Amino acid sequence: MAGCAGVAIHLLPRIACAATAIVLPSAADQRQFSVYYKGSRIGAHTILYSSATGETQVSTRISLLVKAAFFTMFRFSHSSTEIWRDGQLMSLRSETVEHGETLRVDGVATPQGFRVVSKGGPFIAPAATLTSNSLWTPAVLEQTTLVDAQYGGIIGVSARKFADEQIVIAGRQIAVTRYTLITPYLAGSIWYDEKNLWVRGEFERDGSHIQYQLDL
């Protein structure tokens, strides 16, 4: 899956539009998605926002568990905290546990760029970087690379606008824009509403189809 996505990244056209400003949502716009696999809920993906002294903290929490009978087939957890100021990422701290291995990623803005330290070693990303957790803003779809908040390093990303649509969430029909998205870890579709808030997702990861449904 990762190899195929890596090749396909170079084949998709870029989104043909002006750069989207990174507008940080407020606490009232926090997101919680239930994650489904084969019709069963396997966990949640939550994004929380809080602001103080001119900075915004964006916290991401992901917890997934797939069982078959009495056996655990897949377990994944991720937590990260990002600090943003004036639309720019100032710091990142994350911890991911997958297949029993714990990975940590730390990043901080420096005069040379955004410095990231992970298992793979330190590196400098562009100062205006976003992370793989930045799906909360459609500006992430205009990037060509992202800081990998889960495993460290840099990953490629490619997206294009698919269609303007009407979808139903919690019994209410809303106008949304659907985009296709490819990274080395997942490929699929992501939807944003008219306020540029993430409202739905359908992805393929490691050959498995997962759905994100917004909890209201």
Side-chain angles (χ1 to χ4, degrees), residues 101-113:
E101 181 182 11
T102 300
L103 301 171
R104 293 181 176 85
V105 180
D106 292 283
V108 64
T110 72
Q112 293 74 37

Side-chain angles (χ1 to χ4, degrees), residues 152-165:
I154 290 284
I155 60 173
V157 59
S158 186
R160 66 180 178 89
K161 181 177 177 180
F162 185 80
D164 292 320
E165 300 178 345

